[in-house]
Amino acid sequence: MNTLDNIEVDITVELGATTVPIHHMLRMGRGAVIELDATEHDPLRIYANNTLIAKGEVNVEEGHLRVFVTEKVLRFG
């Protein structure tokens, strides 16, 4: 198992996504709002090395964000 201790995995948690024209992005400033394709009740998408591995939900406790895995995404092939 010591071999696995040296392997690093990049984890990304995605709240949602959108497409914005570059001219809108260039005009954005502090306080700008970007509307996403998800609602507050939609699950977060959790990626490991850019591969979807799970879905989850966010939780805030003592000022820290935490993500709870609610569903594993199985890939066959």
Side-chain angles (χ1 to χ4, degrees), residues 18-69:
T18 193
T19 301
V20 178
I22 189 70
H23 67 276
H24 285 185
M25 208 167 109
L26 292 172
R27 286 189 275 156
M28 286 183 191
R30 185 177 187 161
V33 175
I34 301 171
E35 292 189 28
L36 302 176
D37 62 354
T39 69
E40 63 184 296
H41 303 291
D42 290 338
L44 306 174
R45 292 178 289 272
I46 304 167
Y47 296 87
N49 291 340
N50 297 318
T51 300
L52 181 65
I53 60 163
K55 295 182 180 180
E57 57 187 42
V58 70
N59 176 274
V60 180
E61 187 172 306
E62 296 180 13
H64 295 279
L65 289 174
R66 303 187 315 179
V67 175
F68 290 99
V69 174

